[in-house]
């Protein structure tokens, strides 16, 4: 075991996740620097251990058995500013957004109130209210587990598309994100693209300041239970549990034929359309506030599956499967979970 690393055994993971669910990690280490991260990966390799990289724990479901390998918590901090801003992967995302808004840097204001760490944002190309991180990311610094080198990937090399990048698709598990560089616009205009945000400022003739847009987004998200509130089980979730499905023309025609009313749809690319997963779930018969054991659906947002208190991962899983089956039976659409499942087959 490298002497500079403090590797813990049987370390409880539930407190490190927003759902508050799951067993322990067989080994656990907090990497506060690139050197510690590399040493942790060497430790895992020497002992033949699978590795799970943990950030803010806001998009994971940990199994009740825990993870039988090494969990590395990315705690690399630091915010460096020049013409661009380079941020350590272990910085809290919303804290970074707040700082940008305070300095009047535009480009991430609609991404206010999102839980998790900076390092997670390029992985799923985090987006909300018409803004996504791929618009501002210049490069991603990462440890390449294949070549054991630290590399810098350009925006293009990250292969961003809707909630997707190489990090969660073609190159899944290959890179550990260490830092992300964003190009933000000094004194830029806020993005007022989505109805929720536009409506908030309806009747205003002047352009709202970035700080006002941040407050608006946090308020809208809070109403939807999408801001973590300590001790409120209705918000104890992993954010949206299902991805909004993107359907081909044929699949959408099939859905339209099965639905009693026209489903909402938003054009994406090449004739495909994006369907709100929440609409499918509600029209398949689930209501907000629905409960199954100690798991349930938030009373504020259909996409937020919650831990109502003491829920196990298996209870959440049973709810996930029930929702998927009912949506598939009614509409022929397979809903895909958004969180990462940890330790379910190890
Ligand atoms: P919402 O605003 O009710 O929207 C539901 C769906 O309709 C989403 O697929 C959204 O697309 C789409 N939509 C709504 N208005 C649109 C417009 N004017 N043009 C194009 N598409 C439109 O969704 P919500 O669940 O309450 O979430 C609010 C925002 O946070 C959404 O943008 C959502 O995607 C985002 N969010 C992102 C993540 C993530 O990055 N993992 C997790 C949770 C929520 P978009 O998804 O493209 O916005």
């Amino acid at each position: 075991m490298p002497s500079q690393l403090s590797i813990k055994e049987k370390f409880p993971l539930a407190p490190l996740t927003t759902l508050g669910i799951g067993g322990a990690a067989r080994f656990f280490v907090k990497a506060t620097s690139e050197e510690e991260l590399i040493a942790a990966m060497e430790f895992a390799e020497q002992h033949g251990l699978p590795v799970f990289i943990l950030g803010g724990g806001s998009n994971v479901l940990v199994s009740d058995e825990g993870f039988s390998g090494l969990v590395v918590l990315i705690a690399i901090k630091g915010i460096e500013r020049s013409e661009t801003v380079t941020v350590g992967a272990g910085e809290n995302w919303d804290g970074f957004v707040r700082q940008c808004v305070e300095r009047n840097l535009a480009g991430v204001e609609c991404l206010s109130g999102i839980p998790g760490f900076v390092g997670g944002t390029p992985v799923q190309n985090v987006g909300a209210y018409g803004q996504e991180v791929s618009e501002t990311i210049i490069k991603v610094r990462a440890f390449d587990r294949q070549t054991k080198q630290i590399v810098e990937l350009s925006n293009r090399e990250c292969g961003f598309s809707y909630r997707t990048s190489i990090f969660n698709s073609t190159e899944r598990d290959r890179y550990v994100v260490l830092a992300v560089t964003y190009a933000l616009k000094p004194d830029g205009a806020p993005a007022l693209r989505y109805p929720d945000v536009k409506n908030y400022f309806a009747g205003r003739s002047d352009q709202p300041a970035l700080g006002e847009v941040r407050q608006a987004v946090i308020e809208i998200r809070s109403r939807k239970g999408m801001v973590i509130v300590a001790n409120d089980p209705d918000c104890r979730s992993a954010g949206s549990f299902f991805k909004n499905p993107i359907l081909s023309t044929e699949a959408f025609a099939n859905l339209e034929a099965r639905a009693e009313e026209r489903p909402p749809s938003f054009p994406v690319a090449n004739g495909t359309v994006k369907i709100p997963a929440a609409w499918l779930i509600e029209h398949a018969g689930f209501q907000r506030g629905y409960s199954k054991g100690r798991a349930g659906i938030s009373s504020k947002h259909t996409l937020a599956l919650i831990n109502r208190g003491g829920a196990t991962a298996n209870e959440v899983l049973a709810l996930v499967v029930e929702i998927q089956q009912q949506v598939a039976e009614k509409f022929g659409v397979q809903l895909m979970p958004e969180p990462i499942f940890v330790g379910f087959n190890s």
Side-chain angles (χ1 to χ4, degrees), residues 59 114 124-130 132 162-163 193-196 221 224 226 239-240 244 266-267 274-278 301 303 338:
N59 198 38
I114 295 179
Q124 54 167 338
N125 184 14
V126 163
Y129 303 107
E132 52 186 32
Y162 183 68
R163 305 289 180 265
R193 297 174 186 157
Y194 264 35
D196 275 345
R221 289 185 66 94
K224 296 183 179 188
M226 287 290 176
S240 298
N244 294 313
F266 301 94
K274 185 176 58 188
I275 313 296
H301 198 315
L303 283 190
E338 191 175 272

Side-chain angles (χ1 to χ4, degrees), residues 20-307:
I21 287 178
R26 183 172 165 212
F27 295 104
F28 175 88
V29 67
K30 196 168 164 177
T32 59
S33 66
E34 291 183 352
E35 292 69 33
E36 284 185 1
L37 181 271
I38 292 170
M41 302 309 277
E42 278 169 2
F43 171 80
E45 191 159 305
Q46 280 159 14
H47 294 80
L49 296 168
V51 175
F52 181 71
I53 303 292
L54 182 65
S58 60
N59 198 38
V60 290
L61 177 66
V62 177
S63 77
D64 298 319
E65 290 71 38
F67 184 67
S68 61
L70 173 69
V71 170
V72 184
L73 175 68
I74 300 296
I76 302 171
K77 305 275 187 190
I79 301 182
E80 278 171 35
R81 287 186 186 79
S82 57
E83 279 183 4
T84 56
V85 192
T86 298
V87 195
E91 286 286 346
N92 174 277
W93 170 255
D94 192 50
F96 166 62
V97 173
R98 180 175 41 75
Q99 284 192 30
C100 294
V101 166
E102 280 167 4
R103 285 163 200 259
N104 227 19
L105 296 169
V108 288
E109 61 283 352
C110 289
L111 307 178
S112 294
I114 295 179
F117 286 5
V118 165
T121 64
V123 176
Q124 54 167 338
N125 184 14
V126 163
Y129 303 107
Q131 205 168 47
E132 52 186 32
V133 290
S134 61
E135 295 167 41
T136 44
I137 288 178
I138 297 291
K139 62 180 180 190
V140 172
R141 187 175 166 84
F143 176 70
D144 182 344
R145 293 171 67 182
Q146 226 167 63
T147 63
K148 301 193 173 44
Q149 300 291 315
I150 290 181
V151 293
E152 293 203 333
L153 301 167
S154 68
N155 178 296
R156 235 173 78 96
E157 288 170 319
C158 293
F160 291 122
S161 62
Y162 183 68
R163 305 289 180 265
T164 309
S165 70
I166 59 164
F167 307 113
N168 67 359
S169 59
T170 50
E171 302 291 353
R172 179 185 280 272
D173 292 336
R174 175 166 174 186
Y175 296 103
V176 181
V177 176
L178 303 170
V180 187
T181 303
Y182 302 84
L184 302 161
K185 218 167 174 189
D187 303 320
L192 299 177
R193 297 174 186 157
Y194 264 35
D196 275 345
V197 186
K198 282 187 190 158
N199 291 342
Y200 188 94
F201 294 105
R204 271 274 292 265
S205 51
D206 60 329
Q207 177 181 283
L210 291 177
E212 290 177 290
V213 173
R214 170 173 165 76
Q215 274 320 310
V217 168
I218 289 176
E219 227 179 283
I220 295 164
R221 289 185 66 94
S222 301
R223 284 204 293 265
K224 296 183 179 188
M226 287 290 176
V227 173
I228 303 290
V229 180
N231 300 323
D232 181 356
D234 208 23
C235 307
R236 199 187 290 136
S237 75
S240 298
F241 209 97
F242 296 102
K243 293 180 184 170
N244 294 313
I246 294 181
L247 303 185
S248 64
T249 318
E250 301 78 53
F252 183 57
N254 178 36
L255 165 63
E256 272 189 308
R258 290 174 176 229
E260 282 119 36
E261 59 184 272
R262 198 180 154 78
S265 63
F266 301 94
V268 188
N270 310 322
T272 59
V273 289
K274 185 176 58 188
I275 313 296
W279 188 94
L280 295 168
I281 296 170
E282 283 157 19
H283 288 77
F286 294 93
Q287 318 247 306
R288 292 177 191 179
Y290 176 80
S291 58
K292 188 174 172 81
R294 287 165 292 182
I297 296 176
S298 166
S299 70
K300 298 191 177 79
H301 198 315
T302 316
L303 283 190
L305 302 193
I306 54 166
N307 171 4

